[in-house]
Structures are given as structure tokens and as C-alpha cells.
Amino acid sequence: MTDQPQATKKMSIAEALREAIREEMQRDERVFCLGEDIGIPGGFGGAFTVTLGLSEEFGHERVLDTPISEAGIAGAAVGAALSGMRPIADVQYADFLFCAMDQLVNQAAKMRYMSGGKVSVPMVMRAPSGATTRAAQHGQSPESFFIHVPGVKVACPSTAYDAKGLLKTAIRCDDPVLFFEHKLLYGSKGMRAEKGALSPEGEVPLEDYTVPFGKAAIRREGTDVTILGKLMTVYRALAAAEDLAEEGISCEVIDPRTLVPFDVETVAQSIRKTEHLVIVDECPRTGGWAGEAAAVLQEAAFGSLDAPIKRVTAPDTPVPFAPVMEKYYIPDEDDVKAAVREVLRWR
Amino acid sequence: MADPSPDRMLHMYRQMQRIRQFEEKVNQLFLEGRMPGTLHLYTGQEACAVGVAEALDEDDWVVGTHRPHGHAIAKGVTLDDMMAELFAKSTGCARGYGGSMHVGDPATGVLPAIAIVGGNIPVASGMALGFKMQKTGQVIACFMGDGALNEGAFHEGVNMAAIWDLPVVFVCENNLYGASTPVDQVTRLEKLSDRAAGYGIPGETVDGMDVLTVHGAAQRAVERARNGDGPTLLECLTYRFVGHSRSDTRSYRSRDEEAEWKARDAIPRLAAHMVERGITTQDEVDAIAAEVAAEIEASIEFAESSPSPAPEDCLKYVFTEEAGQ
Ligand SMILES: Cc1ncc(C[n+]2csc(CCOP(=O)(O)OP(=O)(O)O)c2C)c(N)n1
Ligand SMILES: [Mg+2]
């Protein structure tokens, strides 16, 4: 990690990701992008504009438009990585990772292990996650699937600063990284803007910096309860914390930034202070990240917990279309507030 | 090839009008912020869905794509059911659970549309396998875009249908683009129907802007399928007159190209053909369009006055037994 640099610019997450890719492509000839509709002249720059302008800048050979072939994209990334390149692959919606599961789970994640450590797969697979009134096949949050796959790292940036810094770490990482981005956080502009988006902008250093994997960020300090959230639910947690402060409840909000590796210690330390933990996650409940985080954290800090850990998650259903049902489906600040009040009843 | 009966041609005209006007209306509703979600409009491709659907029997099936409104309307899903679904109402064909990308209705032989590109292809082969095993005599038409041919699912689904002589018609609507990507950038083939040879099945490329041509080719393919002779890959050359989805400025293609294709619009083309043959008059044709417009207005009223699902309805329909969560 470099020191906190001086020159910064206000950026959306989409812009910050683009900056990371641009700088890494300038820095390292081996870095290239491949995906659907990412570099077509007059096109979209990917489903959420992240690669906009990069094919003009670096040439279409390094911003490769692929056929609609997710298994092919993932496999090509694995192979190119094995040959010494540093591919940044993407799918237009995280849901399409399922089309590429064999390449990601059986190939990318296992090459290094199967070879007894003799080969490695330095690839990034970017994937837009989260429900946005596009229903069951375009709104899933599949992060949890991948924490169950030994051999892939999983990053989940929720701020522009982290988006740039984590993506750089991912690109330089010698192992496969699943990089999840939330559709409502991108801040895509113009025609690609998302209804109901939060689009947090943040000051992003113009120089090179990285954000390390496995280091959680404390987004708000507090003393009564720890709330752990990722991607969009960080903001749900922050909104809840703001409201609860008015009731005299002090919440500490933690963003893990990467799910694999997971910074157990930062959260455990917080629990030692607050003695209460709520985990907020947009993944469906059963077998999800929230459950895994709860298990790990009760192992690490059971003695400090004053109440059972509470999960706030999406229910065990596909993502519904109707906005009224989707709103019910997505964990929001009211759900978080209710959970916080519930765990604090044990005080 | 002889024309279909005058009644059928008039019906085809009405169906194409239904699709065209439905799409224009929902686009407007969407832009006005009255309709949620996202939209992939079928405008311009009407002849493909209608030509194929009119070659199917009532108890045959279709399965559509992320651009499914045309497929569903052509096979008989009512405008009320469609409109209410797009408005996310509980009276919609999927009760508000699916939305634009998953319209369908088993009562009319329309599977919920599958919005994973290529994802519907093995499913269609599986339906056809079921028809064959149960000797029902039914056929399924599986729609796909040009982009779907490059998914592995295409290969696996078509090959199985080929080896087992399954009663399925694979309809590839080649509209020259997959989202922003021109088809010639993602395949070496000039004719996508040449892919058929790789599976040992017949392939045919037809003018997808002429509903009668599509219909004739579809009839041959359906007959083959129903006779137990296996699948056909039917490529329809067509064009979407509008953007890929709600947010597309179409800067990747030229306005000249768009104008060229719009000049081949299948809807006035069929009207002119029928008037020329004395099957109908321009007045009658205009009257059909006006009737459809009224039908669409009525469907909007139906949809807007329909109830929304309850928020917690989101927990229903996960499993067949509804024990609750
Ligand atoms: C497996 C999968 N990959 C990507 C997408 C995103 N996507 C939706 S439509 C589309 C283009 C499809 O092109 P084509 O098959 O030609 O159909 P068209 O849109 O032209 O009707 C893409 C890439 C998707 N829905 N599913
Ligand atoms: Mg296409």
C-alpha cells in the first residue's frame, strides 16, 4: 500500500473501476479485458459503462468483444492467465456466472491446487450483482456461491475509493478473483442510469494505490451494536444507524470489502466492544454469506456476545419482478433497525 | 408456395398489428415512468413470431427469449395478460412475478420466456423429448437470437434434438446484432443456418421481413418435426427497428441501415399483398389497426385497474407445496 496520495477526483464507482483498469493496462501490457459489448464503437462500454472509451484508448485487441459465450469467456480468461496474461473478464449480469460455472469452479479455482502449486490463474471475473426490477434471472446476488469455492477470492467494493483500490489488487493478484459490483452503486450515467440507484461518489486518488484484500473498513463507529454489511447493504446499515442514533442507539457499521479473505479480527474486535452483531446481506438466507459470517464470528467472539447474532437477508426465494415484492425481498433499513432493536432487547 | 387462406392472412395481419402496437405503447408507458422494469422490444421482427406461430397448432408450444413479447402474443397470450404482467399486477400472465422478460402462459402453449441467452434451447429439446416419449404429437418452436448460437447451450440442445429426432423447430431471428455487437464479429459464417450441417439436420435461411415466407418455411419445419423426422434450424433475417433495450442510443449502427430495413417493414408489406390480391381493402386493413388500438387501450385500463401483488406474496410459488417459509 502506498501512502494516502494527495491529488483526488470525485468519481462514481463505474468511473473508479474504469480508472483502475486504465491505469493497470497502462502499467502492465499483460492486462486486457474481455467480455460482451465492452468495446464496440458506439456501444455501451459493458452493461454498466465501466469499460467505456477503453477500446478507443487501448485498441480493440486489448478490449476484446466476445460472442455471447460465458463459459468461453471464463475459460479463455483461465487459459490466457495460465499463458502469462492478466485477463479482466466480465459478465453483463452476475446471474450469467452460472453459465460459466464449470470454468470458474472446476478450472480456475483448482488449477493451482491440482498442479501442486506449479501453475496459477491470475484472472479477474467482474460481475454486476443485486436486484433492480429485472426479476429472477437478472437480479441475483451470487456472491455466496463463490465463498464456498476454495481457490477463488471474492471482492465486494461498496465505495469508489475501494472500487479502484480493490480492482487493482485483484488484477495484480496471482489467484482468480470474483469481483462483485452492485448495480445500484455504479453511478452509470445517461441512458444507462439505474432507477433507484444510490450511486455514491467519492474522492478517488488519481495516482496509483491499492486496497488490500482481507482488511475490513469501519464505515461508522459505535458502541451498542455492530452491523456487518456488504455492497448495497452497507448503505442500508448506515441509513439504519443514522436513524437509530436519534433513538440513542450507537451502531458500528463494518464493510468487509472482501469476503474471501474475510477479516474476522476487525469484526471480532468490534463485537468485543458492542457485544451485539447484526449481519445484513442481499443474498438469499440459506447457505448464504451472512450465515457463514455468523458462524465464523461466533467462533471468534462467542464470549463477548450478549445476544444471538441476527441475520437480515433476502428470503429463500428467487428475485420477484413486481416492485412491491422486490422491495419486500431486498433487506432495507427498516429491516436492519428491527433487527438491531431485537438484539438489543437482550441487554 | 400457395398463400394461406384469406382468413389466416388477415389474422396474421392482426397479430402483427397487435405486437407492433403493443410494443409502441409499452415503450411510451415505460418512458412516461408508468411501467417498471426493463424492456426489450420486438418492433420490426413481427413476421418471425407470427409466421412461426401460425404454423403451429393450438396445443403446440413456443419458448421465447429476453425479447419475448412478440412470441407470446403471436402464440395467443392475451393483451390483457401481457399488459398486466408488464405493469407488475397480480392479474398478469405470471402474476407479477416474471415481468417483461418472462412472459408466458401454459394455457396458450407459451413457456415462461427464458432471458438467459441460449438457456431456452436445451429446455425446448427436453419438452420435445417429453412429447416424443408420451407420443403426444406436439411440437415446440424455440426462438433465439443470432447471439444465442454462440452459447454452449445451443450446441448441446440442438445436438440432442438432432440425435433423437425430436419434434422441435429452432427459430433463429438474425437481427444482425446481439445487443451492440454485429453478428459478423462473432461468427465466420455468412448464413447462420449453415450451423445445421454440423448437427446433420436441415437448415434454411429465409426473409424474416415477409410473414408468408416465414410461415411457409415454418410449416415445412413443423411438418418434419411432427412426422418424427427431427428438428430444423430456421434462420429468419430480420431487424429490430428500436434499441436493444430501454437504454440504447443505437450509435453502433447507421441510420441508413435502419432506414433500409424499415422500408421492408413486414406489416405494410402484408397489407399491400392482400390488397393487391383483392383479399381485402385498405379500409379494412385500417379498421383492423384501429380495432387493435382500442384493444390495447382496454388492456392498459385493465392493467392499471388491476391489483398489485401483496409484498409478502414474494414468498409464494417457490415450491409446489406451500408450507410457507
Ligand atoms: C447468458 C446471457 N448472457 C448475456 C446476456 C445479456 N444479453 C441479453 S440480450 C443480449 C443480446 C442477445 O442478442 P441476440 O441473441 O442476437 O438477441 P437479440 O437481442 O438481438 O434479440 C445479451 C448479451 C443474457 N441475457 N444471457
Ligand atoms: Mg440479435
Side-chain angles (χ1 to χ4, degrees), chain B residues 96-132:
Chain B
Y97 285 68
S100 164
M101 285 197 280
H102 305 299
V103 289
D105 180 7
T108 57
V110 183
L111 280 181
I114 294 178
I116 300 296
V117 169
N120 61 350
I121 300 168
V123 173
S125 296
M127 278 286 273
L129 174 64
F131 297 156
K132 182 173 172 172

Short mmCIF file of all heavy atoms in Angstrom, two decimals, chain B residues 96-132:
data_model
loop_
_atom_site.label_atom_id
_atom_site.label_comp_id
_atom_site.label_asym_id
_atom_site.label_seq_id
_atom_site.Cartn_x
_atom_site.Cartn_y
_atom_site.Cartn_z
N GLY B 96 -47.27 -11.11 -11.92
CA GLY B 96 -46.36 -10.07 -11.46
C GLY B 96 -45.01 -10.60 -10.99
O GLY B 96 -44.17 -9.84 -10.56
N TYR B 97 -44.80 -11.90 -11.09
CA TYR B 97 -43.53 -12.49 -10.63
C TYR B 97 -42.44 -12.41 -11.69
O TYR B 97 -41.26 -12.47 -11.38
CB TYR B 97 -43.73 -13.97 -10.24
CG TYR B 97 -44.45 -14.15 -8.93
CD1 TYR B 97 -45.79 -13.81 -8.79
CD2 TYR B 97 -43.79 -14.66 -7.81
CE1 TYR B 97 -46.45 -13.96 -7.58
CE2 TYR B 97 -44.44 -14.81 -6.59
CZ TYR B 97 -45.77 -14.47 -6.49
OH TYR B 97 -46.42 -14.61 -5.30
N GLY B 98 -42.87 -12.36 -12.97
CA GLY B 98 -41.88 -12.51 -14.04
C GLY B 98 -41.53 -11.21 -14.75
O GLY B 98 -40.37 -10.95 -15.04
N GLY B 99 -42.56 -10.43 -15.09
CA GLY B 99 -42.32 -9.20 -15.83
C GLY B 99 -42.00 -9.45 -17.30
O GLY B 99 -42.14 -10.56 -17.81
N SER B 100 -41.57 -8.38 -17.94
CA SER B 100 -41.34 -8.39 -19.40
C SER B 100 -40.52 -9.57 -19.90
O SER B 100 -40.84 -10.17 -20.92
CB SER B 100 -40.64 -7.08 -19.80
OG SER B 100 -40.08 -7.19 -21.08
N MET B 101 -39.46 -9.92 -19.19
CA MET B 101 -38.53 -10.92 -19.73
C MET B 101 -38.99 -12.35 -19.52
O MET B 101 -38.33 -13.27 -20.00
CB MET B 101 -37.15 -10.73 -19.10
CG MET B 101 -36.42 -9.52 -19.66
SD MET B 101 -34.65 -9.57 -19.33
CE MET B 101 -34.59 -8.99 -17.64
N HIS B 102 -40.12 -12.53 -18.81
CA HIS B 102 -40.54 -13.91 -18.53
C HIS B 102 -42.01 -14.15 -18.85
O HIS B 102 -42.64 -15.03 -18.27
CB HIS B 102 -40.23 -14.26 -17.07
CG HIS B 102 -38.79 -14.03 -16.72
ND1 HIS B 102 -37.77 -14.70 -17.35
CD2 HIS B 102 -38.19 -13.16 -15.86
CE1 HIS B 102 -36.60 -14.27 -16.88
NE2 HIS B 102 -36.83 -13.33 -15.98
N VAL B 103 -42.55 -13.38 -19.79
CA VAL B 103 -43.97 -13.56 -20.11
C VAL B 103 -44.19 -14.95 -20.72
O VAL B 103 -43.34 -15.49 -21.42
CB VAL B 103 -44.51 -12.48 -21.08
CG1 VAL B 103 -44.62 -11.14 -20.38
CG2 VAL B 103 -43.67 -12.39 -22.34
N GLY B 104 -45.37 -15.48 -20.44
CA GLY B 104 -45.72 -16.80 -20.95
C GLY B 104 -47.03 -17.21 -20.30
O GLY B 104 -47.50 -16.54 -19.38
N ASP B 105 -47.61 -18.27 -20.81
CA ASP B 105 -48.86 -18.77 -20.24
C ASP B 105 -49.09 -20.19 -20.74
O ASP B 105 -49.33 -20.38 -21.93
CB ASP B 105 -50.02 -17.86 -20.66
CG ASP B 105 -51.34 -18.35 -20.10
OD1 ASP B 105 -51.34 -19.30 -19.28
OD2 ASP B 105 -52.38 -17.79 -20.49
N PRO B 106 -48.98 -21.16 -19.84
CA PRO B 106 -49.13 -22.55 -20.28
C PRO B 106 -50.46 -22.81 -20.97
O PRO B 106 -50.55 -23.70 -21.83
CB PRO B 106 -48.99 -23.36 -18.98
CG PRO B 106 -49.03 -22.38 -17.87
CD PRO B 106 -48.69 -21.05 -18.41
N ALA B 107 -51.49 -22.05 -20.62
CA ALA B 107 -52.80 -22.27 -21.22
C ALA B 107 -52.77 -22.02 -22.73
O ALA B 107 -53.59 -22.57 -23.47
CB ALA B 107 -53.84 -21.37 -20.56
N THR B 108 -51.83 -21.21 -23.18
CA THR B 108 -51.74 -20.94 -24.61
C THR B 108 -50.51 -21.59 -25.24
O THR B 108 -50.15 -21.30 -26.38
CB THR B 108 -51.69 -19.41 -24.88
OG1 THR B 108 -50.57 -18.88 -24.16
CG2 THR B 108 -52.95 -18.73 -24.43
N GLY B 109 -49.83 -22.43 -24.46
CA GLY B 109 -48.66 -23.10 -25.02
C GLY B 109 -47.43 -22.21 -25.09
O GLY B 109 -46.62 -22.33 -26.00
N VAL B 110 -47.31 -21.33 -24.11
CA VAL B 110 -46.14 -20.46 -24.08
C VAL B 110 -45.42 -20.66 -22.75
O VAL B 110 -45.94 -20.31 -21.69
CB VAL B 110 -46.54 -18.98 -24.25
CG1 VAL B 110 -45.29 -18.10 -24.28
CG2 VAL B 110 -47.37 -18.77 -25.51
N LEU B 111 -44.22 -21.25 -22.80
CA LEU B 111 -43.43 -21.37 -21.58
C LEU B 111 -43.04 -19.98 -21.10
O LEU B 111 -42.93 -19.06 -21.91
CB LEU B 111 -42.14 -22.16 -21.87
CG LEU B 111 -42.23 -23.68 -21.93
CD1 LEU B 111 -40.84 -24.25 -22.20
CD2 LEU B 111 -42.76 -24.26 -20.63
N PRO B 112 -42.80 -19.82 -19.79
CA PRO B 112 -42.24 -18.54 -19.35
C PRO B 112 -40.98 -18.28 -20.15
O PRO B 112 -40.14 -19.17 -20.29
CB PRO B 112 -41.90 -18.79 -17.88
CG PRO B 112 -42.68 -19.98 -17.49
CD PRO B 112 -42.92 -20.80 -18.72
N ALA B 113 -40.86 -17.08 -20.70
CA ALA B 113 -39.70 -16.80 -21.52
C ALA B 113 -38.44 -16.91 -20.68
O ALA B 113 -38.44 -16.60 -19.48
CB ALA B 113 -39.81 -15.41 -22.12
N ILE B 114 -37.38 -17.36 -21.31
CA ILE B 114 -36.10 -17.57 -20.63
C ILE B 114 -35.14 -16.48 -21.10
O ILE B 114 -34.85 -16.38 -22.29
CB ILE B 114 -35.57 -18.99 -20.91
CG1 ILE B 114 -36.52 -20.01 -20.25
CG2 ILE B 114 -34.13 -19.13 -20.42
CD1 ILE B 114 -36.17 -21.46 -20.48
N ALA B 115 -34.70 -15.66 -20.16
CA ALA B 115 -33.91 -14.48 -20.53
C ALA B 115 -32.41 -14.72 -20.46
O ALA B 115 -31.62 -13.81 -20.69
CB ALA B 115 -34.29 -13.31 -19.62
N ILE B 116 -32.03 -15.94 -20.15
CA ILE B 116 -30.62 -16.32 -20.24
C ILE B 116 -30.38 -16.71 -21.69
O ILE B 116 -30.98 -17.68 -22.18
CB ILE B 116 -30.31 -17.51 -19.31
CG1 ILE B 116 -30.62 -17.16 -17.85
CG2 ILE B 116 -28.88 -17.98 -19.49
CD1 ILE B 116 -29.78 -16.07 -17.25
N VAL B 117 -29.55 -15.97 -22.39
CA VAL B 117 -29.35 -16.23 -23.82
C VAL B 117 -28.93 -17.69 -24.02
O VAL B 117 -27.97 -18.15 -23.39
CB VAL B 117 -28.30 -15.26 -24.42
CG1 VAL B 117 -27.89 -15.71 -25.82
CG2 VAL B 117 -28.86 -13.84 -24.44
N GLY B 118 -29.66 -18.40 -24.83
CA GLY B 118 -29.37 -19.81 -25.11
C GLY B 118 -29.98 -20.76 -24.10
O GLY B 118 -30.08 -21.96 -24.37
N GLY B 119 -30.40 -20.25 -22.97
CA GLY B 119 -30.90 -21.11 -21.89
C GLY B 119 -32.16 -21.87 -22.26
O GLY B 119 -32.46 -22.93 -21.68
N ASN B 120 -32.92 -21.33 -23.21
CA ASN B 120 -34.17 -21.99 -23.57
C ASN B 120 -33.97 -23.17 -24.53
O ASN B 120 -34.89 -23.95 -24.75
CB ASN B 120 -35.16 -20.98 -24.17
CG ASN B 120 -34.64 -20.31 -25.44
OD1 ASN B 120 -33.48 -20.46 -25.79
ND2 ASN B 120 -35.51 -19.59 -26.12
N ILE B 121 -32.79 -23.30 -25.10
CA ILE B 121 -32.60 -24.28 -26.17
C ILE B 121 -32.62 -25.72 -25.64
O ILE B 121 -33.41 -26.54 -26.12
CB ILE B 121 -31.33 -23.95 -26.99
CG1 ILE B 121 -31.50 -22.55 -27.62
CG2 ILE B 121 -31.11 -24.99 -28.08
CD1 ILE B 121 -30.22 -21.97 -28.22
N PRO B 122 -31.81 -26.06 -24.65
CA PRO B 122 -31.92 -27.42 -24.09
C PRO B 122 -33.31 -27.68 -23.49
O PRO B 122 -33.79 -28.81 -23.54
CB PRO B 122 -30.85 -27.44 -23.00
CG PRO B 122 -29.90 -26.35 -23.35
CD PRO B 122 -30.72 -25.30 -24.02
N VAL B 123 -33.93 -26.64 -22.94
CA VAL B 123 -35.27 -26.81 -22.35
C VAL B 123 -36.27 -27.19 -23.45
O VAL B 123 -37.11 -28.08 -23.26
CB VAL B 123 -35.72 -25.52 -21.64
CG1 VAL B 123 -37.17 -25.62 -21.18
CG2 VAL B 123 -34.81 -25.21 -20.45
N ALA B 124 -36.16 -26.53 -24.60
CA ALA B 124 -37.06 -26.85 -25.71
C ALA B 124 -36.83 -28.29 -26.17
O ALA B 124 -37.79 -29.03 -26.42
CB ALA B 124 -36.83 -25.88 -26.87
N SER B 125 -35.60 -28.70 -26.25
CA SER B 125 -35.31 -30.08 -26.64
C SER B 125 -35.91 -31.04 -25.62
O SER B 125 -36.44 -32.09 -25.99
CB SER B 125 -33.80 -30.30 -26.78
OG SER B 125 -33.30 -29.51 -27.84
N GLY B 126 -35.84 -30.68 -24.36
CA GLY B 126 -36.41 -31.52 -23.32
C GLY B 126 -37.92 -31.61 -23.42
O GLY B 126 -38.51 -32.70 -23.24
N MET B 127 -38.58 -30.50 -23.70
CA MET B 127 -40.03 -30.53 -23.92
C MET B 127 -40.34 -31.49 -25.08
O MET B 127 -41.24 -32.33 -25.01
CB MET B 127 -40.57 -29.14 -24.30
CG MET B 127 -40.83 -28.19 -23.16
SD MET B 127 -42.31 -28.54 -22.18
CE MET B 127 -43.60 -27.69 -23.08
N ALA B 128 -39.57 -31.33 -26.14
CA ALA B 128 -39.80 -32.16 -27.33
C ALA B 128 -39.55 -33.64 -27.01
O ALA B 128 -40.26 -34.52 -27.51
CB ALA B 128 -38.90 -31.69 -28.47
N LEU B 129 -38.56 -33.89 -26.18
CA LEU B 129 -38.31 -35.27 -25.75
C LEU B 129 -39.54 -35.82 -25.03
O LEU B 129 -39.98 -36.95 -25.28
CB LEU B 129 -37.08 -35.32 -24.83
CG LEU B 129 -36.76 -36.66 -24.18
CD1 LEU B 129 -36.39 -37.71 -25.23
CD2 LEU B 129 -35.63 -36.51 -23.16
N GLY B 130 -40.09 -34.99 -24.16
CA GLY B 130 -41.30 -35.40 -23.43
C GLY B 130 -42.46 -35.67 -24.38
O GLY B 130 -43.20 -36.65 -24.21
N PHE B 131 -42.63 -34.82 -25.38
CA PHE B 131 -43.71 -35.04 -26.35
C PHE B 131 -43.51 -36.38 -27.05
O PHE B 131 -44.43 -37.15 -27.25
CB PHE B 131 -43.72 -33.94 -27.43
CG PHE B 131 -43.98 -32.55 -26.91
CD1 PHE B 131 -43.53 -31.44 -27.63
CD2 PHE B 131 -44.67 -32.33 -25.73
CE1 PHE B 131 -43.75 -30.15 -27.17
CE2 PHE B 131 -44.91 -31.04 -25.26
CZ PHE B 131 -44.44 -29.95 -25.99
N LYS B 132 -42.27 -36.63 -27.42
CA LYS B 132 -41.98 -37.84 -28.17
C LYS B 132 -42.21 -39.08 -27.29
O LYS B 132 -42.84 -40.05 -27.72
CB LYS B 132 -40.53 -37.81 -28.67
CG LYS B 132 -40.18 -39.02 -29.49
CD LYS B 132 -38.81 -38.93 -30.13
CE LYS B 132 -38.48 -40.28 -30.76
NZ LYS B 132 -37.28 -40.27 -31.57
#
